[in-house]
């Protein structure tokens, strides 16, 4: 089992990356982790999910967005987090199911796609892709956050 | 949860415990989610809920709406336009045309679109 907190640097624990540090095109080091049935259960609890919404041909799947709790860990491996970040938006695309009754090995990777200042906010955009070790795509995310410094 | 004329809707009252439980899972230590005084100093009504938690709420209704196809061809775009704080009574919805929204008693907090691609 990989809890996101096992692989995610915590805000305030180390010197934070600042806006000036972000480089468009920079790639995040691949992050391997394992989603277990226990993680799926806990995720469904914290997003108030109904298991009946995720049954495929009689088999219980996970909410495919369960990978969302690992997303920032992928980015933070290259850019340690700062306090006070605000999420602006996400586009999430689902490619294949994640099953609720088995362990799923996943590799998260990604890159910085843009940075810009708007209305006094320092915006960072990045993409994260989650795949199985055999290359099967699970989920792709395009993300934007704003940071104070 | 209610389904009326293709619109799926659910009301989820927000508590600090929900923010804490989500943060415990995702390992988030950003004090905007936990420190009421800091959040108010930043100009918010209180601590902020996690944006990805609200994405999870919306995804749950989209999964209901689109069924198995959601896992293979689902796409969701969301923007977080206003904060959600403890005490907010959040109405989460996906309309028949895929328009998604979260709305509290104060503001529309999230807008977006769910679809199959």
């Amino acid at each position: 089992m990989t809890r996101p907190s096992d692989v995610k640097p915590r805000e305030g624990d180390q010197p934070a990356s600042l806006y000036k540090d972000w480089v468009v095109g920079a790639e995040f080091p691949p992050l391997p982790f394992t989603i277990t049935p226990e993680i799926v259960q806990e995720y469904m609890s914290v997003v108030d999910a109904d298991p009946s919404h995720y049954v495929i041909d009689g088999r219980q799947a996970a909410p495919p967005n369960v990978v969302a709790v690992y997303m920032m860990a992928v980015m933070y491996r290259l850019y340690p987090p700062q306090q006070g970040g605000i999420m602006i938006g996400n586009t999430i695309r689902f490619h294949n199911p994640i099953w609720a009754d088995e362990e799923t090995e996943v590799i998260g990777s990604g890159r910085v796609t843009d940075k810009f200042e708007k209305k006094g906010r320092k915006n960072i955009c990045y993409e994260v892709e989650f795949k199985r070790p055999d290359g099967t795509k699970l989920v792709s995310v395009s993300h934007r956050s704003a940071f104070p410094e | 949860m209610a389904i009326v004329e293709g619109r799926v809707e659910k009301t989820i009252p927000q508590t600090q415990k929900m923010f804490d439980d989500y943060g415990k899972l995702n390992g988030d230590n950003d004090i905007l989610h936990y420190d009421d005084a800091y959040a108010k100093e930043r100009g918010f009504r209180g601590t902020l809920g996690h944006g990805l938690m609200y994405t999870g709420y919306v995804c749950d209704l989209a999964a209901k709406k689109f069924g198995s196809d959601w896992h293979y061809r689902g796409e969701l775009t969301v923007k977080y336009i206003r904060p959600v704080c403890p005490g907010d009574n959040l109405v989460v919805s996906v309309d028949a045309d895929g328009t998604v929204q979260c709305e509290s008693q104060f503001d529309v907090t999230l807008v977006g679109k769910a679809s199959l691609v």
Side-chain angles (χ1 to χ4, degrees), chain B residues 2-23:
Chain B
I3 304 175
V4 179
E5 295 179 353
R7 174 185 166 94
V8 190
E9 182 180 300
K10 186 175 183 180
T11 300
I12 309 176
Q14 297 295 289
T15 66
Q16 183 62 49
K17 183 177 186 306
M18 290 172 160
F19 302 176
D20 295 346
D21 288 347
Y22 189 91

Side-chain angles (χ1 to χ4, degrees), chain A residues 44 49-56 59-64, chain B residues 59-60 63 71:
Chain A
M44 292 183 83
D50 183 336
S52 72
H53 297 178
Y54 305 95
V55 178
I56 304 173
R59 185 176 180 186
Q60 184 68 58
Chain B
C59 281
D60 188 52
H71 296 261

Side-chain angles (χ1 to χ4, degrees), chain B residues 17-39:
Chain B
K17 183 177 186 306
M18 290 172 160
F19 302 176
D20 295 346
D21 288 347
Y22 189 91
K24 183 180 172 189
L25 174 60
N26 88 338
D28 198 311
N29 193 40
D30 191 321
I31 56 176
L32 263 178
H33 300 302
Y34 314 111
D35 187 331
D36 185 67
Y38 173 77

Side-chain angles (χ1 to χ4, degrees), chain B residues 6 18 24 37 46 48 63 70 86 96 100 103 105 110:
Chain B
M18 290 172 160
K24 183 180 172 189
L48 307 188
W70 182 246
V100 304
E103 183 173 15
Q105 65 271 43
L110 174 153

Side-chain angles (χ1 to χ4, degrees), chain B:
Chain B
M1 188 186 71
I3 304 175
V4 179
E5 295 179 353
R7 174 185 166 94
V8 190
E9 182 180 300
K10 186 175 183 180
T11 300
I12 309 176
Q14 297 295 289
T15 66
Q16 183 62 49
K17 183 177 186 306
M18 290 172 160
F19 302 176
D20 295 346
D21 288 347
Y22 189 91
K24 183 180 172 189
L25 174 60
N26 88 338
D28 198 311
N29 193 40
D30 191 321
I31 56 176
L32 263 178
H33 300 302
Y34 314 111
D35 187 331
D36 185 67
Y38 173 77
K40 286 175 175 165
E41 188 180 299
R42 289 279 305 273
F44 299 107
R45 287 185 285 110
T47 55
L48 307 188
H50 302 265
L52 287 171
M53 187 170 81
Y54 304 116
T55 302
Y57 291 174
V58 171
C59 281
D60 188 52
L61 300 190
K64 171 68 175 174
K65 175 180 176 59
F66 292 110
S68 299
D69 286 343
W70 182 246
H71 296 261
Y72 297 93
R73 299 193 291 125
E75 182 173 279
L76 175 74
T77 294
V78 293
K79 287 186 179 177
Y80 314 99
I81 58 175
R82 292 286 186 277
V84 179
C85 302
D88 289 7
N89 205 38
L90 200 68
V91 179
V92 184
S93 62
V94 179
D95 284 346
D97 68 354
T99 299
V100 304
Q101 180 173 284
C102 295
E103 183 173 15
S104 73
Q105 65 271 43
F106 300 104
D107 281 306
V108 173
T109 64
L110 174 153
V111 295
K113 188 87 174 177
S115 61
L116 298 178
V117 293

